[in-house]
Amino acid sequence: MYKVRAYSAESSESDLSPVTIERRNLEDTDVQMEILYCGICHSDLHQLKNDFGVTVYPIVPGHEIVGRITKIGPKVTKFKLGDLAAVGCIVDSCGKCEYCESNLEQFCDEGAIFSFNSPDKHTGGVTFGGFSDSYVCDEKYVFHMPESLDPAAGAPLLCAGITVYSPLKHWQAGSGKKVGILGIGGLGHVAIKMAKAMGAHVVVFTSSPSKIEDAKRLGADEAVLSTDADQMNKYARGLHLILDTVSAKHDVNTYLNLLRHDGSVVLVGLPPEPLEVGAFSVVSGRRSFSGSNIGGIAETQEMLDFCAERNITAEIELIKIQEVNKAMERLEKGDVKYRFVIDMASLKYE
Ligand SMILES: [Zn+2]
Ligand SMILES: [Zn+2]
């Protein structure tokens, strides 16, 4: 084990503060990276506050990790020293179930191991995330971060990016398709860029008048104020797919009714309460209400390469780690355009 600087929280009531944690010494196929940047995802905040009831303290969050390879195990083949690399949400899985064998590690029968707050098979404790200066991971779960992407603005692709790329691809967003994006936040703003790059006609729905212009600037063909019934009525039975990125309670029936037949509203946000689906919202037009959760390892690399070819990154506010508690407060209020990323060089000055 070796010592690593990190930021952790001791309980759901406490702030993040500097600590020293331990990471495992490298095994044969492990790589070690110096973390350069780590994005702040809404699920970091949920886990810090124990909103899902499963948090083990102390917790070190962070799963949008970009760094440079500083050490490799003797059997590593994918990476060499100095490579730009990335780690996302998943750092281990059984490797042999039906899902792992079909590149869907996120649905592993034994449960995927996540980059933080998951049982760590190597140490017997829990995994510690990217709010730290170093990470160790089996190379199988590490990505090549394209050098052409800005590594700070690219960090949010590791969770926000794959979370929207996977369903857009699965539900075949592309040329000839009208795709709705519900909500413009960390997920929604990247989804607009990706759906547009896939060739879809993109319609954004937002309840904030102030975000209408921003949606268009981000590449949306149309932006609709969801609180204006007249505007909404124009889109009835008009869309093939709607990606729902909203993490608060909302009426999904309104959006199911905007679908063409066989269309889906796909939830990627995490509202804490159950959502109600009316029978006629789905039986009419054979519509579906579905969900999607991150993506597999191969698909995440594919997404990074897709973004590199089209120069897609997130819009970020770069902060120092000493500002992380303030950033969490602002994130809770939705006060960020559109993702906080921590410049991990700031951790060196602790
Ligand atoms: Zn996330
Ligand atoms: Zn598995």
Side-chain angles (χ1 to χ4, degrees):
M1 304 283 269
Y2 72 104
K3 292 196 186 323
V4 173
R5 278 172 295 195
Y7 260 58
S8 90
E10 293 294 325
S11 75
S12 61
E13 309 296 313
S14 45
D15 276 351
L16 287 157
S17 57
V19 291
T20 300
I21 57 166
E22 290 193 318
R23 299 232 184 253
R24 68 177 185 258
N25 293 323
L26 267 62
E27 294 176 17
D28 284 356
T29 53
D30 279 345
V31 299
Q32 179 198 65
M33 67 171 79
E34 177 196 10
I35 300 176
L36 302 174
Y37 299 101
C38 187
I40 303 183
C41 172
H42 216 105
S43 52
D44 296 326
L45 184 58
H46 281 306
Q47 295 273 28
L48 280 169
K49 301 289 169 211
N50 198 17
D51 289 341
F52 306 133
V54 294
T55 305
V56 177
Y57 296 95
I59 176 178
V60 178
H63 60 196
E64 294 180 338
I65 305 166
V66 174
R68 287 251 176 230
I69 300 289
T70 44
K71 219 176 192 181
I72 57 172
K75 293 194 177 152
V76 165
T77 57
K78 270 171 66 180
F79 295 93
K80 57 184 192 320
L81 296 183
D83 281 355
L84 200 56
V87 170
C89 304
I90 300 172
V91 294
D92 207 353
S93 65
C94 85
K96 53 186 194 303
C97 72
E98 177 191 345
Y99 296 108
C100 285
E101 287 194 339
S102 37
N103 297 317
L104 293 166
E105 296 87 352
Q106 70 272 35
F107 307 132
C108 174
D109 273 332
E110 290 184 16
I113 305 295
F114 297 109
S115 28
F116 69 90
N117 200 51
S118 254
D120 188 331
K121 285 187 236 168
H122 301 268
T123 64
V126 292
T127 53
F128 292 130
F131 291 10
S132 63
D133 58 11
S134 171
Y135 206 88
V136 173
C137 186
D138 188 300
E139 65 167 343
K140 189 174 164 192
Y141 301 89
V142 180
F143 309 106
H144 288 282
M145 189 69 189
E147 292 276 353
S148 65
L149 285 176
D150 176 334
L157 296 174
L158 277 306
C159 175
I162 188 61
T163 298
V164 296
Y165 178 87
S166 183
L168 287 171
K169 185 124 193 269
H170 182 78
W171 276 273
Q172 299 169 340
S175 167
K177 296 282 179 68
K178 280 196 175 182
V179 174
I181 308 287
L182 176 49
I184 315 175
L187 298 175
H189 91 285
V190 177
I192 296 171
K193 297 183 185 190
M194 286 187 179
K196 196 63 203 159
M198 288 174 182
H201 180 93
V202 177
V203 184
V204 171
F205 297 91
T206 174
S207 56
S208 333
S210 65
K211 287 189 175 170
I212 293 282
E213 280 314 307
D214 235 13
K216 291 185 181 158
R217 180 181 60 80
L218 291 162
D221 296 286
E222 301 173 65
V224 183
L225 193 59
S226 58
T227 50
D228 180 337
D230 287 342
Q231 280 192 47
M232 290 294 281
N233 286 337
K234 286 187 206 149
Y235 293 87
R237 301 163 63 92
L239 297 159
H240 297 95
L241 163 68
I242 296 175
L243 199 61
D244 180 349
T245 74
V246 176
S247 280
K249 192 162 173 71
H250 59 288
D251 181 18
V252 294
N253 299 288
T254 307
Y255 295 95
L256 283 163
N257 288 319
L258 302 186
L259 292 172
R260 299 200 59 67
H261 81 278
D262 287 339
S264 293
V265 168
V266 181
L267 183 68
V268 289
L270 299 172
E273 300 153 76
L275 300 173
E276 284 180 6
V277 175
F280 286 98
S281 303
V282 286
V283 302
S284 314
R286 203 164 51 192
R287 297 159 173 150
S288 326
F289 180 61
S290 319
S292 181
N293 188 24
I294 53 174
I297 298 302
E299 191 175 41
T300 302
Q301 185 66 61
E302 174 191 303
M303 176 275 305
L304 289 172
D305 297 340
F306 174 90
C307 289
E309 274 168 34
R310 294 156 183 86
N311 201 25
I312 294 173
T313 54
E315 311 233 324
I316 63 160
E317 192 174 322
L318 194 63
I319 63 160
K320 297 186 176 76
I321 190 124
Q322 292 79 7
E323 300 166 320
V324 69
N325 293 305
K326 188 78 200 148
M328 289 293 178
E329 277 172 34
R330 286 182 51 202
L331 179 61
E332 192 148 33
K333 293 184 225 141
D335 174 24
V336 55
K337 284 187 174 170
Y338 281 99
R339 203 73 155 175
F340 287 113
V341 173
I342 305 168
D343 180 352
M344 216 49 78
S346 57
L347 190 53
K348 292 193 170 62
Y349 305 113
E350 281 297 334

